[in-house]
């Protein structure tokens, strides 16, 4: 009996030592600059003045639970680890087109999508880039959430100088540390939500490069370009702290058109409000992917994506947030299939790297995902 007790105590000591070592390792790793920095000082004072910041956090317009009614975090984790899920990643390499971004004529008004939520816009002679992730991963963990084969044909070396970089929020699949470091010398200004600038300054961006905004602000870019900031229904956070930076969308108004840059969002009344204030939109870019009924309040189902586009009074829709990373429980090509089957407004569904003519709503795109296993 005494021997059993001694053995048990020894095992407990070993387990405790391993736990302590694991905690120390995590704490050390969390000091890596990729996790960014919490807002502080004058930036935190400004955040506290926002009407959307209450009880120490930014808040959505309406109550937004992380999980839907009837779901628990334990149940979601169990399903993620043990439930059989089919075709989360393509077996084949995704088809793509390698457009030379350096060779675009200044008068071309075009868009190039890079998979997930990264895309390049050239309009009115200015260049814009949104939520760039070109490190091959959407996770802070080494080797985690890798890009699909064929989805990483672009690197930061392929980009010309970017006039304005849009960041919708600070999640890893939208704000990538390695990519932001590599782009630093090519970016004129970064537009982002309140608090996100703290990450950027930690990574070497200068204060005069950063335009930090709250919802419902107008930013005059000059030469007939204006950006209107607007809400989304989502959340933020790069560490265990949640919602200390603001998530948002943008209406990019050029001299010739209006483009809605959506970011991540669950469906809510803000789409109709944005449509009423700034619509109609010539081109709307909305997330369509990585959804689940368990988190329906923070990511839209394809049917809701179509309704959101109509609320925005969009003449044309580009669905994004798919075809590069597995972050949801659905087959990788399901978002495009479901939306394509119901769409009654013009859709832009380009391959990665394919040029989208922003003025041609009759442009035809192949259903390229059907040929991919």
């Amino acid at each position: 009996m005494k021997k059993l007790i001694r053995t048990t105590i020894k095992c407990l000591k070993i387990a405790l030592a391993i736990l302590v070592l694991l905690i120390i390792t995590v704490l050390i790793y969390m000091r890596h600059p990729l996790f960014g920095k919490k807002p502080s000082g004058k930036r935190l004072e400004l955040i506290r003045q926002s009407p959307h910041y209450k009880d120490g956090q930014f808040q959505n317009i309406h109550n937004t639970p992380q999980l839907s009614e009837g779901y628990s975090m334990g149940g979601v984790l169990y399903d993620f680890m043990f439930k059989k899920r089919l075709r989360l990643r393509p077996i084949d390499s995704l088809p793509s087109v390698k457009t030379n971004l350096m060779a675009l004529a200044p008068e071309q008004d075009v868009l190039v999508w890079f998979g997930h939520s990264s895309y390049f816009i050239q309009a009115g002679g200015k260049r814009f880039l949104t939520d760039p992730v070109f490190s091959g991963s959407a996770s802070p963990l080494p080797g985690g959430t890798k890009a699909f084969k064929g989805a990483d044909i672009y690197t930061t070396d392929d980009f010309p100088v970017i006039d304005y970089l849009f960041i919708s929020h600070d999640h890893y699949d939208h704000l990538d540390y390695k990519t932001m470091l590599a782009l630093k010398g090519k970016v004129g200004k970064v537009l982002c939500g309140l608090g996100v600038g703290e990450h950027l300054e930690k990574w070497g961006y200068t204060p005069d490069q950063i335009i930090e905004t709250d919802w419902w602000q107008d930013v005059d870019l000059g030469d007939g370009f204006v950006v209107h900031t607007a809400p989304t229904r989502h959340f933020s956070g790069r560490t265990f702290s949640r919602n200390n930076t603001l998530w948002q969308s943008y209406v990019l108004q050029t001299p010739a058109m209006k483009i809605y840059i959506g970011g991540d969002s669950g469906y809510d009344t803000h789409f109709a409000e944005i449509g009423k204030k700034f619509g109609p939109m010539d081109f709307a870019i909305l997330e369509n992917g990585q959804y689940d009924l368990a988190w329906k309040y923070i990511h839209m189902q394809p049917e809701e994506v179509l309704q959101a586009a109509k609320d925005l009074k969009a003449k044309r829709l580009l669905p994004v947030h798919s075809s590069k990373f597995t972050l949801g429980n659905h087959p990788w090509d399901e978002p495009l299939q479901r939306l394509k089957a119901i769409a009654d407004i013009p859709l832009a569904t380009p391959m990665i790297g394919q040029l989208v003519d922003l003025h041609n709503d009759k442009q035809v795109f192949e259903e390229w995902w059907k040929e991919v296993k």
Side-chain angles (χ1 to χ4, degrees):
M1 187 65 179
K2 290 183 178 179
K3 184 177 180 181
L4 178 60
I5 292 173
R6 286 197 298 269
T7 301
T8 301
I9 292 173
K10 184 177 180 181
C11 289
L12 288 173
K13 287 182 177 179
I14 292 172
L16 181 61
I18 293 173
L19 179 61
V20 170
L21 181 61
L22 180 61
I23 292 172
I24 291 172
T25 301
V26 169
L27 291 175
I28 292 173
Y29 186 61
M30 291 289 288
R31 296 175 64 87
H32 193 289
L34 72 87
F35 291 101
K37 186 180 178 184
K38 293 180 182 179
S40 60
K42 292 182 178 179
R43 180 172 279 113
L44 182 57
E45 291 177 16
L46 183 62
I47 285 172
R48 287 171 174 163
Q49 295 172 25
S50 169
H52 311 109
Y53 188 83
K54 300 174 184 177
D55 302 322
Q57 291 187 331
F58 283 107
Q59 308 284 339
N60 284 292
I61 295 172
H62 296 117
N63 181 43
T64 304
Q66 288 288 302
L67 293 177
S68 308
E69 297 81 0
Y71 291 89
S72 67
M73 185 57 69
V76 169
L77 289 174
Y78 180 87
D79 287 348
F80 182 80
M81 295 175 66
F82 300 110
K83 187 176 180 180
K84 187 175 182 180
R85 300 175 294 162
L86 300 175
R87 302 182 62 250
L88 297 186
R89 296 176 63 90
I91 298 172
D92 297 340
S93 180
L94 298 187
S96 60
V97 176
K98 188 68 179 286
T99 296
N100 185 350
L101 303 177
M102 306 281 196
L104 294 173
E107 64 273 11
Q108 286 182 274
D109 287 358
V110 293
L111 178 146
V112 178
W113 176 59
F114 308 108
H116 204 64
S117 293
S118 303
Y119 44 90
F120 169 89
I121 297 170
Q122 180 175 283
K126 292 188 185 295
R127 302 185 185 111
F128 306 88
L129 183 62
T130 297
D131 290 355
V133 179
F134 299 107
S135 66
S137 172
S139 170
L141 302 178
T145 316
K146 292 184 177 180
F148 299 165
K149 289 185 292 185
D152 251 0
I153 63 168
Y154 281 86
T155 71
T156 53
D157 292 336
D158 295 315
F159 285 87
V161 170
I162 301 298
D163 296 296
Y164 295 96
L165 173 60
F166 293 98
I167 300 296
S168 65
H169 63 296
D170 69 1
H171 286 159
Y172 298 100
D173 58 320
H174 294 260
L175 179 61
D176 182 63
Y177 168 68
K178 290 182 179 178
T179 302
M180 292 300 291
L181 288 186
L183 284 173
K184 191 163 47 180
K186 293 186 174 184
V187 172
K189 301 284 186 181
V190 183
L191 281 84
C192 58
L194 292 174
V196 177
E198 195 81 42
H199 301 315
L200 303 180
E201 285 193 39
K202 183 176 178 64
W203 300 340
Y205 284 76
T206 60
D208 64 342
Q209 281 182 286
I210 302 167
I211 303 173
E212 238 168 319
T213 58
D214 203 341
W215 297 340
W216 307 124
Q217 288 187 220
D218 299 333
V219 182
D220 189 342
L221 306 183
D223 303 319
F225 289 79
V226 179
V227 172
H228 310 285
T229 64
T232 67
R233 191 181 195 186
H234 203 55
F235 69 107
S236 67
R238 294 179 74 83
T239 60
F240 300 115
S241 298
R242 290 288 183 92
N243 300 343
N244 59 359
T245 63
L246 188 62
W247 49 97
Q248 63 184 6
S249 61
Y250 305 90
V251 177
L252 172 60
Q253 186 170 343
T254 80
M257 66 189 309
K258 291 179 183 177
I259 302 171
Y260 180 69
I261 296 172
D264 283 3
S265 183
Y267 183 75
D268 205 356
T269 58
H270 63 280
F271 290 114
E273 188 173 2
I274 295 166
K276 183 178 180 180
K277 283 178 178 285
F278 305 116
M281 304 294 169
D282 296 285
F283 199 88
I285 307 166
L286 290 168
E287 66 133 305
N288 178 56
Q290 320 317 319
Y291 48 74
D292 194 293
L293 291 176
W295 50 83
K296 67 179 182 180
Y297 292 111
I298 54 176
H299 287 291
M300 291 185 284
Q301 299 281 316
E303 294 75 17
E304 294 174 312
V305 174
L306 181 60
Q307 184 57 55
K310 292 179 179 180
D311 291 350
L312 291 164
K313 304 175 184 176
K315 299 176 184 177
R316 197 176 178 204
L317 169 61
L318 170 69
V320 299
H321 212 240
S322 70
S323 306
K324 190 167 186 175
F325 303 114
T326 297
L327 297 169
N329 296 322
H330 54 71
W332 75 271
D333 54 353
E334 181 186 284
L336 289 169
Q337 289 181 355
R338 282 175 62 179
L339 185 60
K340 182 70 175 180
I342 61 173
D344 53 3
I345 63 174
L347 282 185
T349 54
M351 288 184 286
I352 289 172
Q354 184 179 1
L355 272 182
V356 177
D357 184 342
L358 290 174
H359 295 294
N360 182 10
D361 62 7
K362 301 294 191 297
Q363 185 177 1
V364 176
F365 299 93
E366 297 178 19
E367 295 182 26
W368 56 266
W369 56 92
K370 289 187 173 181
E371 305 300 322
V372 182
K373 294 180 181 178

